[in-house]
Amino acid sequence: MGGWAIAVHGGAGVDPKLPEERQEEARRVLRRCLGVGAAGLRAGLPAVDVVEMVVRELETDPVFNSGRGSALTQEGTVEMEASIMDGRGRRCGSVSGLTTVKNPVSLARLVMDRSPHSYLAFHGAEDFAREQEVEVVDNSYFITDENVRMLKLAKEANRIVYDYRVPVPSADTCSASAGLVGATTDGGLQMNGLPISIYAPETVGCVAVDSGGWCAAATSTGGLMNKMSGRIGDSPLIGSGTYACGACAVSCTGEGEAIIRSTLARDVAALMEYKGLGLQEAVDYALKERLDEGKAGLIAVSRNGEVAYGFNTVGMFRGCATEDGFMDVAIW
Amino acid sequence: MGWAIALHGGAGDIPLSLPAEGRAPREAALRHCLELGVAALKANRPPLDVVELVVRELENSPCFNAGKGSVLTTNGTVEMEACIMDGNTKKCGAVSGLSTVVNAISLARLVMERTPHIYLAFDGAEAFAREQGVETAHSSHFITPENVERLKNAKEAKRVQIDYTEPIKGAIPSSIGDSQIGTVGCVAVDGHGILASATSTGGLVNKMAGRIGDTPIIGAGTYANSYCAVSATGKGESIIQATVARDVAALMEYKGLSLKEAAAYVIERTPKGNVGLVAVSANGEVTMPFNTTGMFRACATEDGYSEIGIWPSGINGDLEYPNK
């Protein structure tokens, strides 16, 4: 027991038909980011620095739904959000509605360290970013062709679902919209009311415990594909998408609304703290008993150097590493 | 068992020297809102409706820091936020960054009931408000002279005030004293054990534009499930990191504490001077603990108990109406 440990995720809810090269690409990114984090922990960096560093890497890489590669709003723009929490002192910082900040998780860190507040959003957050002179870019930097295509499909899926007059393509065509309508090619899997095939890899997060036994968590996302402008999900909400305290650190991903209703991240910690459950027990209990019909996944570490995962979705992009040399990257 | 309701107008450093013209309108507003809530419960309105209508009244009162009477951001504008949660279904709705919506709590309810989302903020929330045709008003509706002065004092003191503070040394005391207003909230349970919670606020005086506090964060300022309903008030940043509202319920569920024990446990572990809350349980119990100097509050239960208060019970001038 003891020693450092780290876990990362790139989203829960994976299209079972995701092409192998996309899977391999995701695994490669996760492995690389895990390596960056493990090196930091080995060098004695505090957990809060490590989680920020790893999530920055995940944001910069376009493969996942955060920073560059974020899901698009109804209007086709990007609105990013993130949060970070240092179990040491339970200090926290959150941001929402970012449109130009290259690394949302770092702005969340600055909110925590350099503002009198815990959470800044939209214009106020953008103003703070300029004040703090963080790197900003045009909103178009974050938008990938992939996501423009996904947004179009999401809009079509919504329209098809609600407009019975739209002719339904025959079930044996290979087009993506046939898949959406018939819902046979993805097995009828849905998340957030949309067919799973809409989802690129998703929200990212990292949890770590350093050699001092301090835990920290960070989560970052572009949010829900085709969301209403102004919609805030679970990722920036302390206690829902992100939580860290003396006992553990947690980062969640999946159906944001379900994660909020079940205050998932806080519940894992509360089960350990108030009900005396161990880390994996608490993770399993929270997913089984607290989520209702919601679909989500999470990663967690404890002050004792343990790592735990859990998800009730088909797949979650994830990886972990511990001081004793164990390393694992997985999707299913 | 039986219905119960509790509401607050904010916790903070309310000085015992608060003059009559500061106390009277607030006590009257608390009494009025309590009566409205009690009447609604007696008429078998669902708790979700009850907490919404009570918070609407509190928002409409200029005495409290929500809706009309909201404190101002550093830019002299209002940015209001609110949150509502149905303990029965755990459905919830939240809004932030509103500048024209007369009743933020009602918009939060519409987010819950008419969108696939839980939380809308700033321009997106304002656009939704127009789409839904809710009542909006020019900022002059919300901004009161007291709050303009409060902001001026805060800037002079160059610090961010929580909802209530002692009058700042050297500042000219205004006739109603300094910062005697705060977040508002209401929790209610009906005779069947169905619970609901609602909270609304203008936030912190002199806050940075875009600052979000604990009020709209499920589990921090607002929470309801099948065990209890909680609405918290005080220093938002402390309430967020302590997940105050969720913790009260979690202590009841996971540690088997009673409502009073759970609420007291949470309050004791939050830095002194930072937090207060009102809570009701499925069994019709009420608790209103705080670790600040005072908290504007009122409650009533089906068995006839009711209470309206500002400072801890027993302090001179506190009003109580024990069992008749």
Side-chain angles (χ1 to χ4, degrees), chain A residues 258-274:
Chain A
I259 294 168
I260 294 173
R261 277 201 307 277
S262 57
T263 55
L264 197 58
R266 175 55 182 134
D267 260 50
V268 171
L271 284 162
M272 292 182 74
E273 216 179 322
Y274 300 146

Side-chain angles (χ1 to χ4, degrees), chain B residues 108-154:
Chain B
R109 183 151 181 193
L110 290 172
V111 172
M112 178 173 88
E113 291 175 343
R114 295 204 197 153
T115 75
H117 302 322
I118 281 181
Y119 192 0
L120 288 180
F122 292 88
D123 294 345
E126 285 278 332
F128 177 65
R130 270 143 195 78
E131 217 182 279
Q132 293 293 314
V134 300
E135 195 184 349
T136 56
H138 187 262
S139 59
S140 54
H141 165 84
F142 306 98
I143 297 177
T144 58
E146 292 82 4
N147 278 309
V148 172
E149 189 177 342
R150 216 160 258 138
L151 178 64
K152 188 162 156 290
N153 290 340

Side-chain angles (χ1 to χ4, degrees), chain A residues 19-332:
Chain A
E20 182 52 44
E21 66 271 13
R22 300 282 313 273
Q23 295 187 38
E24 191 39 49
E25 184 184 39
R27 274 192 286 257
R28 210 175 39 238
V29 173
L30 288 169
R31 210 173 286 125
R32 184 174 62 76
C33 294
L34 211 49
V36 165
L41 287 166
R42 226 174 271 125
L45 284 184
V48 67
D49 289 355
V50 172
V51 300
E52 182 192 352
M53 198 169 63
V54 170
V55 171
R56 280 178 69 93
E57 286 295 323
L58 290 162
E59 284 170 340
T60 306
D61 199 300
V63 166
F64 296 109
N65 173 11
S66 67
R68 180 159 158 70
S70 281
L72 306 181
T73 67
Q74 266 176 10
E75 279 89 36
T77 56
V78 162
E79 281 175 13
M80 300 168 289
E81 46 197 16
S83 62
I84 188 166
M85 190 161 188
D86 185 352
R88 186 174 195 164
R90 285 185 307 172
R91 299 181 318 122
C92 46
S94 305
V95 286
S96 281
L98 299 183
T99 51
T100 69
V101 175
K102 191 152 181 264
N103 287 103
V105 72
S106 291
L107 192 69
R109 176 98 195 245
L110 289 171
V111 170
M112 177 171 85
D113 288 346
R114 295 208 201 145
S115 85
H117 302 318
S118 291
Y119 192 179
L120 289 178
F122 292 89
H123 307 301
E126 287 278 327
D127 290 344
F128 180 66
R130 273 144 192 80
E131 222 181 273
Q132 294 293 318
E133 296 180 340
V134 300
E135 196 177 353
V136 297
V137 292
D138 190 73
N139 197 249
S140 57
Y141 162 87
F142 305 102
I143 299 175
T144 59
D145 292 338
E146 171 78 25
N147 280 320
V148 171
R149 194 174 69 85
M150 286 299 165
L151 178 64
K152 192 156 165 294
L153 291 178
K155 284 179 182 285
E156 272 165 29
N158 274 330
R159 211 185 60 230
I160 289 167
V161 166
Y162 297 123
D163 185 353
Y164 66 91
R165 294 164 301 170
V166 173
V168 169
S170 68
D172 54 350
T173 62
C174 298
S175 75
S177 40
L180 295 177
V181 171
T184 49
T185 55
D186 56 18
L189 289 174
Q190 290 217 335
M191 200 163 80
N192 295 301
L194 293 173
I196 200 79
S197 45
I198 293 291
Y199 287 92
E202 244 246 276
T203 297
V204 302
C206 179
V207 292
V209 54
D210 58 33
S211 32
W214 296 112
C215 302
T219 315
S220 178
T221 189
L224 196 49
M225 185 64 77
N226 202 25
K227 67 184 180 183
M228 291 169 73
S229 175
R231 177 260 190 184
I232 291 177
D234 66 287
S235 300
L237 302 188
I238 295 297
S240 289
T242 304
Y243 189 74
C245 60
C248 65
V250 184
S251 171
C252 305
T253 164
E255 289 186 347
E257 282 71 14
I259 294 168
I260 294 173
R261 277 201 307 277
S262 57
T263 55
L264 197 58
R266 175 55 182 134
D267 260 50
V268 171
L271 284 162
M272 292 182 74
E273 216 179 322
Y274 300 146
K275 214 172 156 98
L277 298 191
L279 185 71
Q280 188 69 60
E281 270 188 290
V283 167
D284 294 340
Y285 187 105
L287 283 166
K288 185 154 177 285
E289 305 293 337
R290 287 287 153 262
L291 266 184
D292 304 327
E293 307 85 50
K295 293 276 172 235
L298 63 95
I299 55 174
V301 290
S302 74
R303 68 153 70 91
N304 297 327
E306 302 158 287
V307 181
Y309 306 131
F311 50 97
N312 66 1
T313 49
V314 173
M316 176 171 78
F317 293 100
R318 64 197 184 276
C320 74
T322 53
E323 188 165 359
D324 59 12
F326 178 75
M327 204 211 214
D328 178 43
V329 168
I331 301 177
W332 313 110

